[in-house]
Amino acid sequence: QINSKSPLSPNSIATETAIPPARLKNSRSSITVLVQYFNHRVLIIRMEYKRSTTSMTPDQSGKVGVGMNANPLPFLTPRPERRRPDSRCADWNSSKAERDRGEVNIQVLLRCRPLSDEEQKCNVPKVITCNEHKREVSILQNVANKQVDKIFTFDKVFGPKAQQRSIYDQAIYPIVNEVLEGFNCTVFAYGQTGTGKTYTMEGGMRNKGGELPAEAGVIPRAVRQIFDTLEAQNADYSMKVTFLELYNEEIVDLLTTEDYTRSSDERQKKPISLMEDGKGCVFVRGLEEEAVYSANDIYNLLERGAAKRRTADTLLNKRSSRSHSVFTITVHVKQAAVGSEELVKYGKLNLVDLAGSENISRSGARDGRAREAGEINKSLLTLGRVINALVEHSGHVPYRDSKLTRLLRDSLGGKTKTCIIATVSPSAHCLDETLSTLDYAHRAKNIKNKPEANQKMSKAMLLKDMYLEIEKMKQDLRAAREKNGVYISHERYAQEEAEKKYMNFVVK
């Protein structure tokens, strides 16, 4: 018997279950209604229990849930609550998935140079503030007559007081170690003219005693690290270097030997061709490789090549580079023998110094200098389009629109580990160019490469390639001695013509 005040009274049941009270007066239907009511109450209790256990801490839920069924029947499972996703967990899960696929983001560093003496004399205001600890760069700009701070975040940020050694040790040192482990790596500087790209990449080469000065840049420090590491390992290795420049969309070998039978301009700048092997890899035909055996050998070649590189005096930079340069070091290191076979691993380090973007009206460039600046800006704009296409996952990436982007193809979205050093000026006069550099560099952070270690070669295969190269040189030498002038053998000519036809077919 149920009184009127009980939770199981007809009025209470009718209120909670929306069943008409008249139906509850029928004794036969009362049992059915009570069963429905009890099922309804059990469902509510289970839902409340499920909600309470999901809101507990892991320790509490672990204690309370012992011996309980964690998965109730499907029709009794409460509707899941809508919660805001944890961005940190999402980032971690996405980065884990990318690591599983072998994808890594391009590393982007930001370096801000100090104000020049002339800028300090003119009291030029600074519009950039660098926070190295937070890895942030804030830039002050006017938007609708209001001062607005725009903040960019990079992998590393180096302010005006940063030293060459600090930048190298924190950012470049690990990359060079990857080269010695058998990877291809690229480091290149990007930014407006006069912001310190060449200083960052080259700096001071060496002192009279052979020691590196404090101003030594990325290239000389990388060379010293490679030799010091290999000598400390007592490794058996070989090393070759190449040095080229891209001037007005022409590739020029900076290490070629001088031919005094030609004019001075032709003798210093011998153009060479850019080819593809049909597998997406780009190589330079006819580029001279120099074998090196010590750090001083490389320093001598760097000084020889830098002397041939085109520079000019502009209003923005007293020694403005008028071309892009690429210095490449290829290292072969012998490994311990596996059974009766000796293996050789190899890595390649590309060190790129890009010419700076230039405002022709401000730099005072005229005639030939204006054409140089136009070609530089054109190639850098193509580089920017490539970056945008890769970030937006476009179906077409315009690598072929410029020789610069063709050279950097494997470094942008390919199998190479890449580091970009973006250089900017703190001067208010360079605000537009600085914003453009920061925007491109910030977008480049989202480019993903899939680095792969180079396949190890057997020593026998490497020796075979060397013997074939020696045989080709002998044939060319024999042909040159037999004729009045410089010739190549018929076999070499036929081979090159066949390769050209194949490449033309692949391009079409």
Side-chain angles (χ1 to χ4, degrees):
Q1 297 182 356
I2 304 173
N3 56 36
S4 60
K5 296 182 180 180
S6 172
L8 297 180
S9 66
N11 292 334
S12 299
I13 295 175
T15 302
E16 187 167 352
T17 60
I19 298 175
R23 184 181 174 189
L24 297 177
K25 292 179 181 180
N26 187 345
S27 60
R28 291 184 178 181
S29 63
S30 296
I31 297 176
T32 303
V33 171
L34 286 174
V35 170
Q36 294 178 354
Y37 175 73
F38 282 128
N39 288 338
H40 177 69
R41 295 297 299 177
V42 168
L43 176 61
I44 293 175
I45 292 171
R46 290 200 178 194
M47 290 176 65
E48 290 177 351
Y49 170 75
K50 179 69 175 179
R51 191 177 295 113
S52 64
T53 55
T54 55
S55 62
M56 289 182 180
T57 61
D59 293 340
Q60 292 173 329
S61 63
K63 295 177 181 178
V64 175
V66 175
M68 301 297 291
N69 187 3
N71 295 315
L73 296 176
F75 56 84
L76 296 179
T77 303
R79 185 176 181 179
E81 297 180 3
R82 293 184 179 179
R83 298 182 180 180
R84 293 184 61 185
D86 191 343
S87 60
R88 292 175 297 177
C89 293
D91 293 341
W92 185 88
N93 290 330
S94 61
S95 62
K96 184 178 185 298
E98 291 163 3
R99 289 196 301 270
D100 293 340
R101 294 194 300 266
E103 294 182 347
V104 295
N105 287 71
I106 286 180
Q107 184 182 15
V108 181
L109 321 178
L110 191 283
R111 183 180 194 183
C112 179
R113 70 163 174 83
L115 289 173
S116 65
D117 295 338
E118 184 176 351
E119 290 170 337
Q120 292 179 8
K121 289 179 182 179
C122 298
N123 293 322
V124 176
K126 296 173 64 175
V127 294
I128 280 187
T129 303
C130 297
N131 189 324
E132 297 185 6
H133 179 68
K134 293 184 177 181
R135 300 177 297 175
E136 292 179 350
V137 175
S138 60
I139 185 166
L140 187 65
Q141 58 180 143
N142 287 319
V143 178
N145 295 325
K146 294 182 179 179
Q147 298 288 335
V148 178
D149 278 338
K150 193 171 183 179
I151 298 177
F152 297 86
T153 304
F154 297 97
D155 295 303
K156 291 186 184 296
V157 171
F158 299 97
K161 296 182 179 180
Q163 301 297 315
Q164 296 275 67
R165 181 174 181 177
S166 175
I167 296 173
Y168 183 85
D169 290 344
Q170 294 185 47
I172 310 302
Y173 189 91
I175 295 176
V176 177
N177 284 335
E178 297 282 358
V179 174
L180 297 177
E181 291 299 324
F183 287 89
N184 293 344
C185 300
T186 298
V187 179
F188 70 85
Y190 174 86
Q192 179 197 6
T193 182
T195 53
K197 296 182 301 301
T198 302
Y199 176 77
T200 300
M201 295 302 295
E202 297 181 4
M205 288 296 177
R206 54 181 172 176
N207 290 325
K208 293 182 179 180
E211 297 296 326
L212 292 180
E215 296 80 14
V218 170
I219 296 178
R221 291 183 185 274
V223 170
R224 179 57 56 86
Q225 179 186 343
I226 290 174
F227 278 101
D228 288 348
T229 303
L230 293 175
E231 290 173 2
Q233 297 174 354
N234 196 23
D236 187 3
Y237 64 90
S238 65
M239 196 179 305
K240 291 183 178 181
V241 300
T242 61
F243 198 7
L244 64 86
E245 74 169 351
L246 180 62
Y247 174 75
N248 288 346
E249 284 297 293
E250 288 187 0
I251 298 177
V252 180
D253 190 351
L254 295 177
L255 297 184
T256 184
T257 54
E258 297 182 352
D259 184 0
Y260 292 98
T261 62
R262 300 183 180 184
S263 63
S264 59
D265 188 62
E266 292 178 346
R267 184 170 65 241
Q268 292 178 359
K269 312 292 178 183
K270 183 184 73 172
I272 48 183
S273 58
L274 185 64
M275 307 292 290
E276 294 183 13
D277 60 2
K279 299 179 182 179
C281 296
V282 178
F283 66 96
V284 183
R285 178 183 295 280
L287 192 63
E288 189 164 334
E289 286 185 315
E290 291 277 355
V292 291
Y293 306 96
S294 67
N296 286 330
D297 290 345
I298 296 184
Y299 296 151
N300 291 331
L301 293 175
L302 280 169
E303 292 170 355
R304 191 175 88 189
K308 295 181 181 180
R309 191 179 174 191
R310 291 176 171 90
T311 59
D313 185 359
T314 67
L315 297 179
L316 297 177
N317 190 355
K318 296 298 182 182
R319 193 173 182 272
S320 174
S321 300
R322 315 308 293 172
S323 64
H324 312 297
S325 70
V326 182
F327 185 77
T328 303
I329 305 173
T330 305
V331 186
H332 290 82
V333 182
K334 178 182 173 182
Q335 288 191 306
V338 178
S340 60
E341 188 177 23
E342 294 182 346
L343 297 179
V344 176
K345 66 177 179 181
Y346 71 96
K348 184 180 294 185
L349 177 61
N350 302 305
L351 300 165
V352 186
D353 179 18
L354 298 180
S357 57
E358 187 172 304
N359 187 323
I360 297 177
S361 61
R362 292 182 54 216
S363 66
R366 297 289 183 273
D367 301 329
R369 294 286 175 250
R371 179 174 179 268
E372 291 173 350
E375 291 291 344
I376 292 170
N377 291 340
K378 178 182 176 182
S379 62
L380 293 176
L381 285 173
T382 304
L383 176 61
R385 293 203 306 272
V386 167
I387 291 174
N388 289 337
L390 290 170
V391 171
E392 296 169 2
H393 304 288
S394 173
H396 171 69
V397 182
Y399 290 114
R400 299 186 62 83
D401 290 357
S402 169
K403 289 184 178 179
L404 173 63
T405 50
R406 290 179 69 188
L407 285 169
L408 297 176
R409 179 169 185 168
D410 198 44
S411 302
L412 299 172
K415 300 178 182 180
T416 299
K417 294 192 175 185
T418 303
C419 173
I420 300 176
I421 304 176
T423 58
V424 295
S425 166
S427 171
H429 296 164
C430 303
L431 179 60
D432 292 338
E433 291 84 354
T434 298
L435 281 172
S436 176
T437 300
L438 291 173
D439 183 60
Y440 275 125
H442 193 263
R443 291 179 66 82
K445 284 175 53 183
N446 298 316
I447 297 178
K448 299 184 186 300
N449 288 0
K450 295 182 179 180
E452 294 181 6
N454 295 313
Q455 186 176 1
K456 296 177 183 178
M457 305 170 59
S458 66
K459 186 177 179 180
M461 184 64 68
L462 185 61
L463 290 174
K464 182 179 179 181
D465 292 342
M466 291 181 177
Y467 286 139
L468 291 175
E469 185 66 27
I470 292 173
E471 188 60 30
K472 288 180 181 180
M473 295 173 66
K474 286 182 178 179
Q475 292 176 1
D476 293 344
L477 181 60
R478 191 180 305 113
R481 285 176 177 174
E482 293 174 356
K483 304 295 181 179
N484 183 18
V486 178
Y487 291 81
I488 63 174
S489 64
H490 291 288
E491 293 81 2
R492 182 74 172 272
Y493 176 78
Q495 179 184 358
E496 292 186 357
E497 288 298 314
E499 290 179 358
K500 288 180 180 178
K501 290 180 181 179
Y502 173 74
M503 292 311 305
N504 291 332
F505 173 77
V506 170
V507 170
K508 291 179 181 179

